[in-house]
Short mmCIF file of all heavy atoms in Angstrom, two decimals:
data_model
loop_
_atom_site.label_atom_id
_atom_site.label_comp_id
_atom_site.label_asym_id
_atom_site.label_seq_id
_atom_site.Cartn_x
_atom_site.Cartn_y
_atom_site.Cartn_z
N LYS A 1 111.35 119.30 107.86
CA LYS A 1 112.55 119.01 106.95
C LYS A 1 113.24 117.85 107.54
O LYS A 1 113.85 116.95 106.81
CB LYS A 1 113.39 120.25 106.89
CG LYS A 1 112.71 121.34 106.21
CD LYS A 1 112.22 121.02 104.65
CE LYS A 1 113.40 120.87 103.83
NZ LYS A 1 113.00 120.57 102.35
N GLY A 2 113.53 117.76 108.81
CA GLY A 2 114.20 116.84 109.47
C GLY A 2 113.64 115.32 109.31
O GLY A 2 114.28 114.36 108.85
N LEU A 3 112.25 115.21 109.30
CA LEU A 3 111.49 113.96 109.05
C LEU A 3 111.67 113.62 107.49
O LEU A 3 111.72 112.48 107.26
CB LEU A 3 110.19 113.99 109.50
CG LEU A 3 109.95 113.98 111.11
CD1 LEU A 3 108.44 113.79 111.49
CD2 LEU A 3 110.66 112.83 111.76
N SER A 4 111.55 114.67 106.79
CA SER A 4 111.64 114.42 105.27
C SER A 4 113.08 113.86 104.96
O SER A 4 113.15 112.98 104.14
CB SER A 4 111.49 115.67 104.55
OG SER A 4 110.12 116.27 104.71
N ASN A 5 114.01 114.32 105.54
CA ASN A 5 115.35 113.79 105.30
C ASN A 5 115.62 112.41 105.87
O ASN A 5 116.48 111.70 105.37
CB ASN A 5 116.42 114.80 106.04
CG ASN A 5 116.49 116.14 105.34
OD1 ASN A 5 116.12 116.30 104.24
ND2 ASN A 5 116.98 117.14 106.13
N LEU A 6 114.72 111.99 106.82
CA LEU A 6 114.74 110.61 107.20
C LEU A 6 113.99 109.63 106.36
O LEU A 6 113.81 108.48 106.80
CB LEU A 6 114.32 110.54 108.75
CG LEU A 6 115.31 111.17 109.77
CD1 LEU A 6 114.71 111.21 111.16
CD2 LEU A 6 116.60 110.33 109.75
N GLY A 7 113.38 110.17 105.29
CA GLY A 7 112.66 109.35 104.44
C GLY A 7 111.10 109.33 104.50
O GLY A 7 110.54 108.73 103.73
N HIS A 8 110.57 110.17 105.35
CA HIS A 8 109.09 110.26 105.45
C HIS A 8 108.54 111.06 104.33
O HIS A 8 109.25 112.11 103.94
CB HIS A 8 108.73 110.73 106.90
CG HIS A 8 109.01 109.81 108.00
ND1 HIS A 8 108.36 108.66 108.26
CD2 HIS A 8 110.13 109.82 108.79
CE1 HIS A 8 108.85 108.05 109.32
NE2 HIS A 8 109.99 108.76 109.69
N ASP A 9 107.33 110.76 103.91
CA ASP A 9 106.67 111.58 102.98
C ASP A 9 105.78 112.52 103.72
O ASP A 9 104.69 112.25 104.28
CB ASP A 9 105.63 110.74 102.11
CG ASP A 9 104.96 111.42 101.06
OD1 ASP A 9 105.08 112.76 101.03
OD2 ASP A 9 104.07 110.86 100.41
N VAL A 10 106.23 113.89 103.97
CA VAL A 10 105.49 114.77 104.89
C VAL A 10 104.77 115.80 104.08
O VAL A 10 105.31 116.42 103.19
CB VAL A 10 106.70 115.46 105.77
CG1 VAL A 10 106.02 116.43 106.77
CG2 VAL A 10 107.55 114.47 106.49
N LYS A 11 103.56 116.03 104.52
CA LYS A 11 102.75 117.13 104.00
C LYS A 11 102.22 117.88 105.22
O LYS A 11 102.18 117.40 106.40
CB LYS A 11 101.59 116.49 103.35
CG LYS A 11 102.07 115.81 102.03
CD LYS A 11 100.87 115.07 101.14
CE LYS A 11 101.31 114.29 99.96
NZ LYS A 11 100.23 113.63 99.30
N VAL A 12 101.79 119.12 104.84
CA VAL A 12 101.24 119.99 105.98
C VAL A 12 99.78 120.46 105.62
O VAL A 12 99.62 120.90 104.52
CB VAL A 12 102.19 121.33 106.04
CG1 VAL A 12 101.57 122.14 107.30
CG2 VAL A 12 103.61 120.84 106.45
N LEU A 13 98.87 120.30 106.57
CA LEU A 13 97.66 120.93 106.46
C LEU A 13 97.46 121.95 107.53
O LEU A 13 97.41 121.68 108.69
CB LEU A 13 96.52 119.85 106.59
CG LEU A 13 95.00 120.25 106.43
CD1 LEU A 13 94.77 120.87 105.20
CD2 LEU A 13 94.09 119.14 106.68
N ALA A 14 97.43 123.29 107.16
CA ALA A 14 97.18 124.39 107.95
C ALA A 14 95.75 124.88 107.98
O ALA A 14 95.11 124.90 106.89
CB ALA A 14 98.23 125.50 107.66
N VAL A 15 95.36 125.40 109.05
CA VAL A 15 93.90 126.04 109.04
C VAL A 15 94.05 127.33 108.18
O VAL A 15 93.25 127.47 107.44
CB VAL A 15 93.49 126.31 110.56
CG1 VAL A 15 92.09 126.96 110.50
CG2 VAL A 15 93.50 125.16 111.33
N TYR A 16 95.01 128.07 108.44
CA TYR A 16 95.18 129.37 107.83
C TYR A 16 96.49 129.59 107.17
O TYR A 16 97.47 129.06 107.67
CB TYR A 16 94.90 130.52 108.67
CG TYR A 16 93.51 130.73 109.33
CD1 TYR A 16 93.33 130.34 110.64
CD2 TYR A 16 92.29 130.98 108.47
CE1 TYR A 16 92.01 130.23 111.10
CE2 TYR A 16 91.02 130.97 109.07
CZ TYR A 16 90.82 130.66 110.40
OH TYR A 16 89.64 130.67 110.84
N LYS A 17 96.57 130.43 106.08
CA LYS A 17 97.85 130.69 105.43
C LYS A 17 98.53 131.62 106.43
O LYS A 17 98.12 132.59 106.95
CB LYS A 17 97.56 131.41 104.05
CG LYS A 17 98.76 131.79 103.30
CD LYS A 17 99.10 130.79 102.28
CE LYS A 17 100.14 131.37 101.16
NZ LYS A 17 101.49 131.18 101.81
N GLY A 18 99.90 131.41 106.45
CA GLY A 18 100.71 132.15 107.30
C GLY A 18 101.49 133.31 106.61
O GLY A 18 100.78 134.07 105.83
N ALA A 19 102.75 133.42 106.77
CA ALA A 19 103.51 134.49 106.19
C ALA A 19 103.49 134.59 104.64
O ALA A 19 103.76 133.60 103.98
CB ALA A 19 105.01 134.49 106.58
N LYS A 20 103.05 135.74 104.18
CA LYS A 20 103.00 135.85 102.69
C LYS A 20 104.46 135.90 102.04
O LYS A 20 105.30 136.53 102.57
CB LYS A 20 102.22 137.03 102.38
CG LYS A 20 100.68 137.05 102.82
CD LYS A 20 99.86 138.21 102.46
CE LYS A 20 98.46 138.07 102.91
NZ LYS A 20 97.78 139.37 102.50
N GLY A 21 104.39 135.29 100.96
CA GLY A 21 105.69 135.42 100.19
C GLY A 21 106.86 134.45 100.62
O GLY A 21 107.88 134.48 100.05
N GLU A 22 106.45 133.66 101.67
CA GLU A 22 107.55 132.81 102.17
C GLU A 22 107.61 131.45 101.39
O GLU A 22 106.55 130.71 101.33
CB GLU A 22 107.33 132.41 103.64
CG GLU A 22 107.76 133.43 104.59
CD GLU A 22 109.18 133.60 104.75
OE1 GLU A 22 109.91 132.61 104.92
OE2 GLU A 22 109.78 134.61 104.55
N GLU A 23 108.80 131.22 100.74
CA GLU A 23 108.97 129.92 99.95
C GLU A 23 109.66 128.94 100.98
O GLU A 23 110.71 129.17 101.20
CB GLU A 23 109.70 130.17 98.81
CG GLU A 23 109.08 131.10 97.79
CD GLU A 23 107.79 130.44 97.21
OE1 GLU A 23 107.63 129.25 97.03
OE2 GLU A 23 106.79 131.29 96.92
N VAL A 24 109.02 127.90 101.30
CA VAL A 24 109.51 126.98 102.36
C VAL A 24 109.91 125.66 101.75
O VAL A 24 110.54 124.78 102.43
CB VAL A 24 108.52 126.81 103.48
CG1 VAL A 24 108.39 128.13 104.25
CG2 VAL A 24 107.14 126.35 102.99
#
């Protein structure tokens, strides 16, 4: 979120899904 606020286009690629139901 900090890098997004500085203007970067940030995406995440995770190996596995984490906590269910978490809206981030």
Side-chain angles (χ1 to χ4, degrees):
K1 295 300 290 183
L3 288 183
S4 296
N5 292 338
L6 288 172
H8 294 283
D9 179 8
V10 183
K11 297 177 181 177
V12 180
L13 178 58
V15 181
Y16 296 107
K17 181 99 167 79
K20 294 179 180 178
E22 279 293 304
E23 294 299 326
V24 292

